[in-house]
């Protein structure tokens, strides 16, 4: 049964990590009604973070040519470095600095202890949903940045600051926060979404490593199998979801995700008030 549950959790992670609808909000609901049997709470805390590595591998697979700076010159028979890609990584690192500072000072752990509850998660689901609707309806204008290479370091820092909101308030959605930040400063939907994918690589790899180091490597055979299955499923689902999102936003805006977040937030709020989830 735990393997079946790992498959379901992997599907949820693969879908909700890339769509701006909060993986935390969905996982807390799923975990409430479908807990692992005979596995510790500490393992669940590791599981929900580490399966994100599967989602990250999907980004690496789909965008490898865009993010791998080492190139082989067949004519000159030597290794070269793509300056444009190196410049992109510079912007990725700059955008991740605010979140790194939050982690180094332990603010994320304090925030998790304070805000990781159904009420706060529901509020953030609703508020970010409203933000998407307002931005797309009233504030979003003709974008000034339509290609990744047009993104500046100033843009990267501003988007990175929006990641702080997601790091502090569960239910915000990391992708949701960064996409909102990007839209507000005039970045096109496609560039905003793609850049969010890239930002996830160092952010999630770092978070996963910290969780595993804190938990230790003393996984039982069953725990390792559950973790592996969840990660693989998250990877497979993520490949399809990323492709879907990039095709979707070429013709549509993010308002549908905003409305979905509001409905989900209301459901989480009601279940929290009724003590169904805690």
């Amino acid at each position: 049964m735990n393997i079946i549950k790992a498959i379901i959790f992997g599907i949820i992670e693969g879908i909700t990590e890339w769509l701006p609808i909060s993986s935390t909000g969905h996982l807390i609901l799923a975990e409430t009604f479908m807990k692992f049997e005979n596995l510790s709470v500490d393992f669940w805390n590791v599981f929900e973070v580490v399966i994100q590595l599967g989602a990250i591998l999907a980004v690496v697979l789909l965008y490898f040519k865009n993010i791998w700076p080492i190139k082989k010159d067949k004519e000159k028979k030597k290794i070269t470095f793509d300056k444009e890609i190196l410049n992109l990584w510079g912007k990725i690192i700059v955008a991740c600095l605010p979140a790194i500072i939050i982690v180094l000072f332990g603010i994320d752990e304090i925030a998790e202890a304070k805000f990781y509850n159904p009420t706060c998660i529901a509020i953030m689901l609703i508020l970010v949903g409203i933000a998407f609707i307002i931005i797309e309806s009233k504030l979003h204008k003709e974008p000034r940045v339509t290609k990744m290479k047009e993104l500046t370091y100033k843009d990267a820092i501003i988007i990175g600051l929006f990641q702080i909101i997601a790091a502090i308030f569960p239910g915000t959605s990391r992708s949701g926060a960064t996409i909102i930040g990007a839209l507000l400063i005039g970045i096109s939907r496609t560039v905003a979404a793609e850049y969010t994918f890239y930002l996830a690589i160092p952010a999630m790899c770092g978070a996963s490593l910290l969780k595993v180091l804190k938990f230790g490597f003393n996984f039982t055979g069953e725990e390792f199998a559950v973790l592996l299955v969840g990660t693989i499923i998250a990877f497979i689902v993520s490949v399809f979801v990323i492709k879907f999102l990039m095709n979707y936003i070429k013709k549509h805006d993010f308002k549908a995700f905003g409305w979905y977040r509001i409905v989900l937030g209301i459901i989480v709020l009601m279940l929290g008030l009724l003590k169904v989830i805690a």
Side-chain angles (χ1 to χ4, degrees), residues 5 16 29 35 40 49 55 58 70 83 89 104 110 123 133 140 191 193 196 207 210 222 229 250 266 272:
K5 291 172 184 177
T16 60
L29 274 176
K35 296 181 183 294
S40 68
V49 174
I70 302 174
K83 292 182 180 179
W89 274 105
L104 288 176
I110 296 171
I123 289 170
I133 293 168
H140 189 60
V191 173
T196 296
L210 288 173
E222 183 181 9
V229 168
K250 288 176 182 177
I266 293 171

Side-chain angles (χ1 to χ4, degrees), residues 20-34:
I21 54 178
S22 175
S23 58
T24 302
H26 287 79
L27 286 173
I28 192 175
L29 274 176
E31 200 265 341
T32 296
F33 298 104
M34 188 178 59

Side-chain angles (χ1 to χ4, degrees), residues 6 29 35 37 47 75 95 112 160 162 166 182 189 198 202 228 238 245 250-251 264 277:
L29 274 176
K35 296 181 183 294
E37 297 174 12
F47 176 83
E75 293 182 0
E112 184 174 335
F162 274 83
R189 297 184 186 97
Y198 299 159
L228 184 63
S238 290
L245 180 62
K250 288 176 182 177
K251 299 178 181 178
L264 179 65
I277 57 177

Side-chain angles (χ1 to χ4, degrees), residues 141-159:
K141 301 177 182 178
E142 193 67 28
R144 61 176 176 80
V145 175
T146 57
K147 296 179 181 178
M148 190 63 66
K149 62 182 180 182
E150 296 173 352
L151 195 77
T152 67
Y153 277 89
K154 181 182 177 182
D155 294 331
I157 292 171
I158 294 172
I159 294 171

